[in-house]
Amino acid sequence: MTIISVPTEFNEEDLYVDLRPIVQHPLYLKCEGFNFAGSIKLKAATEMVEAAEWIGVLKPGSILVESSSGNLGAALSLIAASKGYGFVCVTDSRCNLSARRFMEAMGSQVHIISEPAADGGLLGARIAHVQELCASDDRYVWLNQYTNTDNWKAHYRTTAPAIARRFPQLDVLFVGAGTTGTLMGCARYFRTLHRQVRIVAVDSAGSVTFGGSPGRRMIPGLGTSVRPALLDESFVHEVVHVEEPDTIRACHRLARRGFLFGGSTGTVVSGATQWLSQHGDRSLTAVAIAPDLGERYLDTIYQTNWLHDLYGEDVLNPDALATDLTA
């Protein structure tokens, strides 16, 4: 029996899905969504909040403020509610409605930015709004997930060691790239072990994280319009970019086998499958990290009208859906 008194005390760290029957490649999916925040972001949020409390930046009466596309905001709203802090999440129209409702249910405020900045897009505009709030009232505390080293330290301390324990012969690890906290924490950990683990970053097409021109991105989670300050490319062996229709098809293919995952997970699985298809070594031990579950995407990537309006009626073409993860 597990009995907890605060929501952060529960997080399922040791659950994997064997995707071989679905993707036809050796791939284990580490499920990170089984906690009260619903995503891997609970780890980074907890680490950043506790560090801010330790140094005295965050104290009774403080109001947390953070820019988030959804999952970190949900995690911080949960922590703020359990600890008695206020919380303001600054997001944009791509944030899923269910994530916004989750945060509001926890007593948090959600500020939605609709106009992109001339330099930095919607993310740049969100950060500018956060900075304005902090300048207006010294009760606001911005943890800044984009530059905060406790973001990656959370995964160096928890996520990566958990994978290493279960897969001592790991060959390749697929990690989605957003703020790159998960990516950097895992990559740094395996580097310190002197293990020959190939780190493959999975990014959304249209993201500028690893260079290139910005493009339209409608699915929140991975990718960014501003290069992440935490990123050190020397720890990354390869990068795979995934188009959003491929993300959507991966999510639907998994759902039709009973696994409802979120958009970030669909991107990672699609990218991992592309990489494994190209390398073709069936003896590899491969793990991909699934950042979230799918309930918060029911109104978007699992909603037919939303899909057809943005990607056309052929996005879930039966032939493409049948071959997407097995190509």
Side-chain angles (χ1 to χ4, degrees):
M1 178 187 296
T2 300
I3 299 175
I4 64 173
S5 56
V6 294
T8 53
E9 290 179 343
F10 173 75
N11 183 68
E12 175 54 63
E13 186 73 87
D14 202 27
L15 177 63
Y16 296 82
V17 177
D18 184 350
L19 291 183
R20 280 177 294 186
I22 302 174
V23 304
Q24 310 304 313
H25 294 284
L27 182 64
Y28 295 96
L29 189 64
K30 187 179 192 307
C31 301
E32 289 282 354
F34 290 96
N35 56 56
F36 283 94
S39 82
I40 196 171
K41 289 292 188 178
L42 183 60
K43 293 177 176 179
T46 301
E47 193 89 7
M48 291 189 294
V49 166
E50 291 180 350
E53 290 175 329
W54 177 257
I55 64 176
V57 172
L58 191 57
K59 49 189 179 292
S62 292
I63 303 171
L64 286 163
V65 59
E66 187 59 74
S67 162
S68 169
S69 61
N71 281 338
L72 183 75
L76 285 173
S77 69
L78 179 150
I79 294 170
S82 69
K83 289 177 172 283
Y85 299 122
F87 175 54
V88 177
C89 179
V90 180
T91 188
D92 58 61
S93 57
R94 294 172 298 183
C95 178
N96 293 325
L97 178 60
S98 58
R100 284 151 49 187
R101 287 176 173 169
F102 180 97
M103 290 184 272
E104 290 168 346
M106 296 285 169
S108 301
Q109 297 181 41
V110 180
H111 293 188
I112 301 174
I113 303 301
S114 57
E115 293 296 325
D119 183 19
L122 285 168
L123 177 56
R126 279 163 33 186
I127 291 174
H129 185 72
V130 170
Q131 292 170 332
E132 290 171 5
L133 289 175
C134 292
S136 71
D137 190 329
D138 60 10
R139 291 179 300 167
Y140 285 111
V141 175
W142 181 24
L143 299 175
N144 195 350
Q145 63 165 326
Y146 308 106
T147 64
N148 193 326
T149 57
D150 290 306
N151 184 344
W152 67 258
K153 288 177 183 177
H155 304 288
Y156 185 95
R157 190 174 61 82
T158 61
T159 310
I163 295 170
R165 284 194 300 270
R166 289 301 178 189
F167 297 91
Q169 303 302 319
L170 181 65
D171 294 303
V172 57
L173 177 65
F174 299 96
V175 190
T179 64
T180 69
T182 307
L183 175 64
M184 287 293 96
C186 291
R188 288 175 184 274
Y189 179 84
F190 283 106
R191 178 73 61 85
T192 61
L193 288 185
H194 304 289
R195 289 278 305 282
Q196 296 301 311
V197 176
R198 180 164 291 276
I199 303 297
V200 178
V202 183
D203 197 11
S204 300
S207 167
V208 304
T209 298
F210 296 94
S213 301
R216 186 187 78 160
R217 292 180 296 107
M218 300 304 298
I219 300 174
L222 301 184
T224 183
S225 56
V226 178
R227 181 181 168 86
L230 297 176
L231 177 62
D232 182 343
E233 290 189 58
S234 69
F235 287 91
V236 178
H237 295 94
E238 294 181 61
V239 180
V240 178
H241 286 91
V242 176
E243 299 285 345
E244 287 192 337
D246 292 327
T247 290
I248 291 161
R249 286 188 284 265
C251 287
H252 280 259
R253 181 73 183 275
L254 292 168
R256 293 182 186 189
R257 298 296 290 269
F259 295 107
L260 191 72
F261 285 107
S264 297
T265 300
T267 301
V268 172
V269 170
S270 180
T273 305
Q274 290 178 35
W275 190 94
L276 290 168
S277 296
Q278 294 169 3
H279 290 76
D281 186 347
R282 299 284 173 171
S283 66
L284 287 174
T285 298
V287 171
I289 297 176
D292 54 2
L293 300 178
E295 286 86 350
R296 289 184 187 144
Y297 296 81
L298 291 175
D299 293 329
T300 53
I301 62 176
Y302 294 106
Q303 212 281 332
T304 302
N305 291 337
W306 187 88
L307 290 176
H308 288 176
D309 287 345
L310 290 174
Y311 304 100
E313 295 187 2
D314 290 334
V315 67
L316 294 181
N317 178 286
D319 292 336
L321 191 60
T323 60
D324 178 61
L325 293 184
T326 58

PDB file of all heavy atoms in Angstrom, residues 13 42 59 72 90 137 171 216 218 227 231 240 303:
ATOM      1  N   GLU A  13       8.146   5.547 -11.733  1.00  0.00           N
ATOM      2  CA  GLU A  13       9.432   5.698 -12.407  1.00  0.00           C
ATOM      3  C   GLU A  13       9.817   4.483 -13.233  1.00  0.00           C
ATOM      4  O   GLU A  13      10.720   4.569 -14.068  1.00  0.00           O
ATOM      5  CB  GLU A  13      10.522   5.949 -11.340  1.00  0.00           C
ATOM      6  CG  GLU A  13      11.902   6.260 -11.863  1.00  0.00           C
ATOM      7  CD  GLU A  13      12.024   7.652 -12.465  1.00  0.00           C
ATOM      8  OE1 GLU A  13      12.289   8.596 -11.708  1.00  0.00           O
ATOM      9  OE2 GLU A  13      11.823   7.787 -13.690  1.00  0.00           O
ATOM     10  N   LEU A  42       6.843  17.188 -13.952  1.00  0.00           N
ATOM     11  CA  LEU A  42       6.751  17.254 -12.493  1.00  0.00           C
ATOM     12  C   LEU A  42       8.133  17.158 -11.864  1.00  0.00           C
ATOM     13  O   LEU A  42       8.397  17.770 -10.822  1.00  0.00           O
ATOM     14  CB  LEU A  42       5.852  16.134 -11.961  1.00  0.00           C
ATOM     15  CG  LEU A  42       5.608  16.145 -10.448  1.00  0.00           C
ATOM     16  CD1 LEU A  42       4.937  17.443 -10.007  1.00  0.00           C
ATOM     17  CD2 LEU A  42       4.780  14.943 -10.022  1.00  0.00           C
ATOM     18  N   LYS A  59       9.542  32.045  -1.031  1.00  0.00           N
ATOM     19  CA  LYS A  59       9.176  32.059   0.387  1.00  0.00           C
ATOM     20  C   LYS A  59       7.677  32.310   0.527  1.00  0.00           C
ATOM     21  O   LYS A  59       7.009  32.619  -0.469  1.00  0.00           O
ATOM     22  CB  LYS A  59       9.974  33.124   1.128  1.00  0.00           C
ATOM     23  CG  LYS A  59       9.986  34.493   0.494  1.00  0.00           C
ATOM     24  CD  LYS A  59      10.974  35.407   1.185  1.00  0.00           C
ATOM     25  CE  LYS A  59      11.029  36.797   0.553  1.00  0.00           C
ATOM     26  NZ  LYS A  59      11.605  36.759  -0.806  1.00  0.00           N
ATOM     27  N   LEU A  72       4.637  21.916 -18.041  1.00  0.00           N
ATOM     28  CA  LEU A  72       5.321  22.475 -16.873  1.00  0.00           C
ATOM     29  C   LEU A  72       4.372  23.359 -16.077  1.00  0.00           C
ATOM     30  O   LEU A  72       4.400  23.365 -14.849  1.00  0.00           O
ATOM     31  CB  LEU A  72       6.565  23.264 -17.275  1.00  0.00           C
ATOM     32  CG  LEU A  72       7.332  23.778 -16.048  1.00  0.00           C
ATOM     33  CD1 LEU A  72       8.104  22.654 -15.368  1.00  0.00           C
ATOM     34  CD2 LEU A  72       8.269  24.921 -16.399  1.00  0.00           C
ATOM     35  N   VAL A  90       2.117  31.765 -18.082  1.00  0.00           N
ATOM     36  CA  VAL A  90       2.052  32.567 -19.298  1.00  0.00           C
ATOM     37  C   VAL A  90       2.214  31.618 -20.477  1.00  0.00           C
ATOM     38  O   VAL A  90       3.259  30.980 -20.633  1.00  0.00           O
ATOM     39  CB  VAL A  90       3.143  33.654 -19.316  1.00  0.00           C
ATOM     40  CG1 VAL A  90       3.049  34.476 -20.601  1.00  0.00           C
ATOM     41  CG2 VAL A  90       3.009  34.554 -18.090  1.00  0.00           C
ATOM     42  N   ASP A 137       6.063  43.639  -9.619  1.00  0.00           N
ATOM     43  CA  ASP A 137       5.769  43.225  -8.239  1.00  0.00           C
ATOM     44  C   ASP A 137       6.857  42.247  -7.797  1.00  0.00           C
ATOM     45  O   ASP A 137       7.057  41.213  -8.439  1.00  0.00           O
ATOM     46  CB  ASP A 137       4.397  42.550  -8.188  1.00  0.00           C
ATOM     47  CG  ASP A 137       3.884  42.309  -6.769  1.00  0.00           C
ATOM     48  OD1 ASP A 137       4.721  42.090  -5.859  1.00  0.00           O
ATOM     49  OD2 ASP A 137       2.664  42.313  -6.570  1.00  0.00           O
ATOM     50  N   ASP A 171      21.980   0.746 -25.746  1.00  0.00           N
ATOM     51  CA  ASP A 171      22.754   1.197 -26.904  1.00  0.00           C
ATOM     52  C   ASP A 171      22.373   2.606 -27.347  1.00  0.00           C
ATOM     53  O   ASP A 171      23.233   3.406 -27.703  1.00  0.00           O
ATOM     54  CB  ASP A 171      22.548   0.242 -28.085  1.00  0.00           C
ATOM     55  CG  ASP A 171      23.122  -1.139 -27.820  1.00  0.00           C
ATOM     56  OD1 ASP A 171      24.339  -1.225 -27.528  1.00  0.00           O
ATOM     57  OD2 ASP A 171      22.356  -2.118 -27.883  1.00  0.00           O
ATOM     58  N   ARG A 216       5.854  26.743 -38.817  1.00  0.00           N
ATOM     59  CA  ARG A 216       4.623  26.597 -38.037  1.00  0.00           C
ATOM     60  C   ARG A 216       4.661  25.328 -37.198  1.00  0.00           C
ATOM     61  O   ARG A 216       4.980  24.250 -37.703  1.00  0.00           O
ATOM     62  CB  ARG A 216       3.408  26.533 -38.974  1.00  0.00           C
ATOM     63  CG  ARG A 216       2.074  26.530 -38.222  1.00  0.00           C
ATOM     64  CD  ARG A 216       0.906  26.300 -39.156  1.00  0.00           C
ATOM     65  NE  ARG A 216       0.764  24.887 -39.520  1.00  0.00           N
ATOM     66  CZ  ARG A 216      -0.361  24.347 -39.995  1.00  0.00           C
ATOM     67  NH1 ARG A 216      -1.431  25.090 -40.177  1.00  0.00           N
ATOM     68  NH2 ARG A 216      -0.406  23.065 -40.310  1.00  0.00           N
ATOM     69  N   MET A 218       2.035  23.578 -34.322  1.00  0.00           N
ATOM     70  CA  MET A 218       0.739  23.701 -33.653  1.00  0.00           C
ATOM     71  C   MET A 218       0.590  22.761 -32.464  1.00  0.00           C
ATOM     72  O   MET A 218      -0.343  22.894 -31.681  1.00  0.00           O
ATOM     73  CB  MET A 218      -0.393  23.429 -34.656  1.00  0.00           C
ATOM     74  CG  MET A 218      -0.402  24.389 -35.837  1.00  0.00           C
ATOM     75  SD  MET A 218      -0.495  26.138 -35.342  1.00  0.00           S
ATOM     76  CE  MET A 218      -2.072  26.170 -34.486  1.00  0.00           C
ATOM     77  N   ARG A 227      16.593  29.342 -29.379  1.00  0.00           N
ATOM     78  CA  ARG A 227      17.547  28.283 -29.028  1.00  0.00           C
ATOM     79  C   ARG A 227      17.659  28.157 -27.504  1.00  0.00           C
ATOM     80  O   ARG A 227      17.931  29.141 -26.803  1.00  0.00           O
ATOM     81  CB  ARG A 227      18.918  28.590 -29.619  1.00  0.00           C
ATOM     82  CG  ARG A 227      19.969  27.519 -29.305  1.00  0.00           C
ATOM     83  CD  ARG A 227      21.314  27.889 -29.909  1.00  0.00           C
ATOM     84  NE  ARG A 227      22.385  27.049 -29.413  1.00  0.00           N
ATOM     85  CZ  ARG A 227      22.714  25.872 -29.918  1.00  0.00           C
ATOM     86  NH1 ARG A 227      22.047  25.412 -30.950  1.00  0.00           N
ATOM     87  NH2 ARG A 227      23.696  25.154 -29.419  1.00  0.00           N
ATOM     88  N   LEU A 231      21.063  23.942 -23.817  1.00  0.00           N
ATOM     89  CA  LEU A 231      21.557  22.965 -24.795  1.00  0.00           C
ATOM     90  C   LEU A 231      23.069  23.042 -24.973  1.00  0.00           C
ATOM     91  O   LEU A 231      23.630  24.101 -25.206  1.00  0.00           O
ATOM     92  CB  LEU A 231      20.877  23.210 -26.143  1.00  0.00           C
ATOM     93  CG  LEU A 231      21.343  22.322 -27.304  1.00  0.00           C
ATOM     94  CD1 LEU A 231      21.056  20.853 -27.015  1.00  0.00           C
ATOM     95  CD2 LEU A 231      20.678  22.770 -28.599  1.00  0.00           C
ATOM     96  N   VAL A 240      16.978  13.982 -34.914  1.00  0.00           N
ATOM     97  CA  VAL A 240      15.938  13.600 -35.864  1.00  0.00           C
ATOM     98  C   VAL A 240      14.814  14.627 -35.772  1.00  0.00           C
ATOM     99  O   VAL A 240      14.343  14.930 -34.675  1.00  0.00           O
ATOM    100  CB  VAL A 240      15.375  12.193 -35.566  1.00  0.00           C
ATOM    101  CG1 VAL A 240      14.247  11.849 -36.538  1.00  0.00           C
ATOM    102  CG2 VAL A 240      16.475  11.148 -35.630  1.00  0.00           C
ATOM    103  N   GLN A 303      -8.910  14.922 -32.239  1.00  0.00           N
ATOM    104  CA  GLN A 303     -10.188  15.507 -32.634  1.00  0.00           C
ATOM    105  C   GLN A 303     -10.182  15.734 -34.139  1.00  0.00           C
ATOM    106  O   GLN A 303      -9.357  16.470 -34.672  1.00  0.00           O
ATOM    107  CB  GLN A 303     -10.396  16.834 -31.888  1.00  0.00           C
ATOM    108  CG  GLN A 303     -11.828  17.173 -31.569  1.00  0.00           C
ATOM    109  CD  GLN A 303     -12.565  17.741 -32.764  1.00  0.00           C
ATOM    110  OE1 GLN A 303     -11.974  18.353 -33.635  1.00  0.00           O
ATOM    111  NE2 GLN A 303     -13.872  17.508 -32.817  1.00  0.00           N
TER     112      GLN A 303
END
